[in-house]
Amino acid sequence: MKSVSTPSAPAPAGHYSQAMVCNGLVFVSGQLPIDPADGAIAADIGEQTRQVLDNVENILLAAGSSLEKVVKSTVYISDIDLWGAVNALYAKRFGSHRPARAVVPTRELHFGCLIEMEVVAEA
């Protein structure tokens, strides 16, 4: 088992790793749309979705994986009405690759974020 850390994604704000690699899989912790360069959080769901995907991808790359190796994603959104915009950007980023996925509407996310995503990928 190996912990993964990269400055290209937000530093953990609690007692967890950005990701763990175990038995050939990468388990990426829930990522918020925080810009690792300055800590900024965009107000727009489109920019937040882009940032979440960037953060997830950067952690996967640090683990020796990629978005193309994602087998399962879980997407938490603060309002199900945002799903259309999120899904369009998600589909564009993943292209023809279609990992298993769950979408979980929730009332509030940390720091007022609109989206959070966690993934499991092949290492």
Side-chain angles (χ1 to χ4, degrees), residues 47-119:
E47 282 303 307
Q48 285 198 22
T49 301
R50 182 199 58 74
Q51 186 65 61
V52 161
L53 289 164
D54 286 351
N55 294 343
V56 166
E57 183 172 32
N58 288 336
I59 293 168
L60 288 170
L61 292 171
S65 187
S66 66
L67 287 176
E68 292 77 24
K69 293 183 177 184
V70 171
V71 296
K72 170 76 168 79
S73 68
T74 305
V75 182
Y76 303 92
I77 54 173
S78 64
D79 182 344
I80 197 64
D81 290 337
L82 300 172
W83 181 241
V86 171
N87 190 53
L89 292 165
Y90 180 100
K92 183 176 180 179
R93 190 71 167 265
F94 277 94
S96 63
H97 179 56
R98 293 175 174 248
R101 179 179 73 189
V103 177
V104 183
T106 184
R107 289 175 31 172
E108 294 179 16
L109 291 167
H110 219 69
F111 308 119
C113 294
L114 304 173
I115 185 171
E116 181 173 355
M117 184 185 300
E118 63 182 0
V119 304

